[in-house]
PDB file of all heavy atoms in Angstrom:
ATOM      1  N   MET A 169     262.664 -53.202  96.523  1.00 94.00           N
ATOM      2  CA  MET A 169     263.017 -53.035  95.102  1.00 94.00           C
ATOM      3  C   MET A 169     261.995 -54.053  94.331  1.00 94.00           C
ATOM      4  O   MET A 169     262.428 -54.647  93.292  1.00 94.00           O
ATOM      5  CB  MET A 169     264.435 -53.680  94.946  1.00 94.00           C
ATOM      6  CG  MET A 169     265.532 -52.784  95.386  1.00 94.00           C
ATOM      7  SD  MET A 169     265.830 -51.217  94.385  1.00 94.00           S
ATOM      8  CE  MET A 169     265.178 -49.991  95.577  1.00 94.00           C
ATOM      9  N   GLY A 170     260.840 -54.055  94.864  1.00 93.00           N
ATOM     10  CA  GLY A 170     259.884 -54.947  94.269  1.00 93.00           C
ATOM     11  C   GLY A 170     260.088 -56.468  94.423  1.00 93.00           C
ATOM     12  O   GLY A 170     259.507 -57.293  93.697  1.00 93.00           O
ATOM     13  N   GLY A 171     260.941 -56.844  95.346  1.00 94.00           N
ATOM     14  CA  GLY A 171     261.278 -58.296  95.594  1.00 94.00           C
ATOM     15  C   GLY A 171     262.443 -58.816  94.765  1.00 94.00           C
ATOM     16  O   GLY A 171     262.716 -60.011  94.676  1.00 94.00           O
ATOM     17  N   LYS A 172     263.010 -57.862  93.961  1.00 94.00           N
ATOM     18  CA  LYS A 172     264.142 -58.294  92.993  1.00 94.00           C
ATOM     19  C   LYS A 172     265.353 -58.902  93.790  1.00 94.00           C
ATOM     20  O   LYS A 172     265.959 -59.965  93.418  1.00 94.00           O
ATOM     21  CB  LYS A 172     264.522 -57.075  92.174  1.00 94.00           C
ATOM     22  CG  LYS A 172     265.598 -57.417  91.171  1.00 94.00           C
ATOM     23  CD  LYS A 172     266.069 -56.170  90.374  1.00 94.00           C
ATOM     24  CE  LYS A 172     264.907 -55.447  89.743  1.00 94.00           C
ATOM     25  NZ  LYS A 172     265.416 -54.185  89.132  1.00 94.00           N
ATOM     26  N   ILE A 173     265.717 -58.208  94.940  1.00 96.00           N
ATOM     27  CA  ILE A 173     266.839 -58.582  95.556  1.00 96.00           C
ATOM     28  C   ILE A 173     266.734 -60.033  96.120  1.00 96.00           C
ATOM     29  O   ILE A 173     267.506 -60.887  96.186  1.00 96.00           O
ATOM     30  CB  ILE A 173     267.231 -57.617  96.670  1.00 96.00           C
ATOM     31  CG1 ILE A 173     267.634 -56.271  95.982  1.00 96.00           C
ATOM     32  CG2 ILE A 173     268.414 -58.126  97.500  1.00 96.00           C
ATOM     33  CD1 ILE A 173     267.911 -55.157  96.990  1.00 96.00           C
ATOM     34  N   VAL A 174     265.549 -60.273  96.833  1.00 96.00           N
ATOM     35  CA  VAL A 174     265.190 -61.576  97.430  1.00 96.00           C
ATOM     36  C   VAL A 174     265.161 -62.569  96.319  1.00 96.00           C
ATOM     37  O   VAL A 174     265.769 -63.670  96.512  1.00 96.00           O
ATOM     38  CB  VAL A 174     263.843 -61.519  98.086  1.00 96.00           C
ATOM     39  CG1 VAL A 174     263.466 -62.969  98.627  1.00 96.00           C
ATOM     40  CG2 VAL A 174     263.802 -60.522  99.291  1.00 96.00           C
ATOM     41  N   ALA A 175     264.581 -62.289  95.198  1.00 96.00           N
ATOM     42  CA  ALA A 175     264.550 -63.278  94.159  1.00 96.00           C
ATOM     43  C   ALA A 175     265.951 -63.631  93.526  1.00 96.00           C
ATOM     44  O   ALA A 175     266.213 -64.724  93.196  1.00 96.00           O
ATOM     45  CB  ALA A 175     263.651 -62.745  92.991  1.00 96.00           C
ATOM     46  N   MET A 176     266.797 -62.541  93.393  1.00 96.00           N
ATOM     47  CA  MET A 176     268.064 -62.773  92.981  1.00 96.00           C
ATOM     48  C   MET A 176     268.972 -63.670  93.864  1.00 96.00           C
ATOM     49  O   MET A 176     269.838 -64.412  93.426  1.00 96.00           O
ATOM     50  CB  MET A 176     268.825 -61.491  92.604  1.00 96.00           C
ATOM     51  CG  MET A 176     268.259 -60.719  91.564  1.00 96.00           C
ATOM     52  SD  MET A 176     268.280 -61.608  89.946  1.00 96.00           S
ATOM     53  CE  MET A 176     270.043 -61.949  89.846  1.00 96.00           C
ATOM     54  N   ASN A 177     268.648 -63.457  95.231  1.00 97.00           N
ATOM     55  CA  ASN A 177     269.466 -64.281  96.128  1.00 97.00           C
ATOM     56  C   ASN A 177     268.899 -65.778  96.063  1.00 97.00           C
ATOM     57  O   ASN A 177     269.778 -66.713  96.129  1.00 97.00           O
ATOM     58  CB  ASN A 177     269.264 -63.786  97.538  1.00 97.00           C
ATOM     59  CG  ASN A 177     270.186 -62.780  98.069  1.00 97.00           C
ATOM     60  OD1 ASN A 177     271.241 -63.105  98.619  1.00 97.00           O
ATOM     61  ND2 ASN A 177     269.877 -61.479  97.706  1.00 97.00           N
ATOM     62  N   LYS A 178     267.702 -65.999  95.848  1.00 97.00           N
ATOM     63  CA  LYS A 178     267.173 -67.404  95.619  1.00 97.00           C
ATOM     64  C   LYS A 178     267.680 -67.997  94.248  1.00 97.00           C
ATOM     65  O   LYS A 178     267.954 -69.178  94.226  1.00 97.00           O
ATOM     66  CB  LYS A 178     265.621 -67.382  95.613  1.00 97.00           C
ATOM     67  CG  LYS A 178     265.081 -67.018  97.104  1.00 97.00           C
ATOM     68  CD  LYS A 178     263.686 -67.154  97.107  1.00 97.00           C
ATOM     69  CE  LYS A 178     263.038 -66.880  98.536  1.00 97.00           C
ATOM     70  NZ  LYS A 178     261.553 -66.892  98.540  1.00 97.00           N
ATOM     71  N   ILE A 179     267.764 -67.070  93.304  1.00 97.00           N
ATOM     72  CA  ILE A 179     268.287 -67.584  91.953  1.00 97.00           C
ATOM     73  C   ILE A 179     269.675 -68.128  92.113  1.00 97.00           C
ATOM     74  O   ILE A 179     270.108 -69.219  91.585  1.00 97.00           O
ATOM     75  CB  ILE A 179     268.213 -66.466  90.884  1.00 97.00           C
ATOM     76  CG1 ILE A 179     266.657 -66.354  90.521  1.00 97.00           C
ATOM     77  CG2 ILE A 179     268.985 -66.768  89.737  1.00 97.00           C
ATOM     78  CD1 ILE A 179     266.480 -65.161  89.574  1.00 97.00           C
ATOM     79  N   THR A 180     270.556 -67.234  92.788  1.00 97.00           N
ATOM     80  CA  THR A 180     272.031 -67.663  93.003  1.00 97.00           C
ATOM     81  C   THR A 180     272.131 -68.964  93.742  1.00 97.00           C
ATOM     82  O   THR A 180     272.977 -69.753  93.506  1.00 97.00           O
ATOM     83  CB  THR A 180     272.842 -66.439  93.353  1.00 97.00           C
ATOM     84  OG1 THR A 180     272.165 -65.996  94.591  1.00 97.00           O
ATOM     85  CG2 THR A 180     272.770 -65.303  92.350  1.00 97.00           C
ATOM     86  N   LYS A 181     271.207 -69.056  94.853  1.00 97.00           N
ATOM     87  CA  LYS A 181     271.352 -70.242  95.680  1.00 97.00           C
ATOM     88  C   LYS A 181     270.998 -71.452  94.890  1.00 97.00           C
ATOM     89  O   LYS A 181     271.623 -72.526  94.925  1.00 97.00           O
ATOM     90  CB  LYS A 181     270.532 -70.083  96.844  1.00 97.00           C
ATOM     91  CG  LYS A 181     270.951 -69.164  97.876  1.00 97.00           C
ATOM     92  CD  LYS A 181     269.961 -69.141  99.170  1.00 97.00           C
ATOM     93  CE  LYS A 181     270.551 -68.167 100.222  1.00 97.00           C
ATOM     94  NZ  LYS A 181     269.723 -67.925 101.340  1.00 97.00           N
ATOM     95  N   ALA A 182     269.868 -71.227  94.050  1.00 97.00           N
ATOM     96  CA  ALA A 182     269.538 -72.491  93.236  1.00 97.00           C
ATOM     97  C   ALA A 182     270.640 -72.744  92.135  1.00 97.00           C
ATOM     98  O   ALA A 182     270.828 -73.920  91.798  1.00 97.00           O
ATOM     99  CB  ALA A 182     268.224 -72.231  92.454  1.00 97.00           C
ATOM    100  N   ALA A 183     271.230 -71.786  91.610  1.00 96.00           N
ATOM    101  CA  ALA A 183     272.290 -71.902  90.606  1.00 96.00           C
ATOM    102  C   ALA A 183     273.463 -72.679  91.246  1.00 96.00           C
ATOM    103  O   ALA A 183     274.105 -73.595  90.557  1.00 96.00           O
ATOM    104  CB  ALA A 183     272.693 -70.572  90.007  1.00 96.00           C
TER     105      ALA A 183
END
Side-chain angles (χ1 to χ4, degrees):
M169 296 287 112
K172 182 187 303 182
I173 297 178
V174 176
M176 289 303 299
N177 273 268
K178 291 182 179 180
I179 286 174
T180 53
K181 287 181 180 178

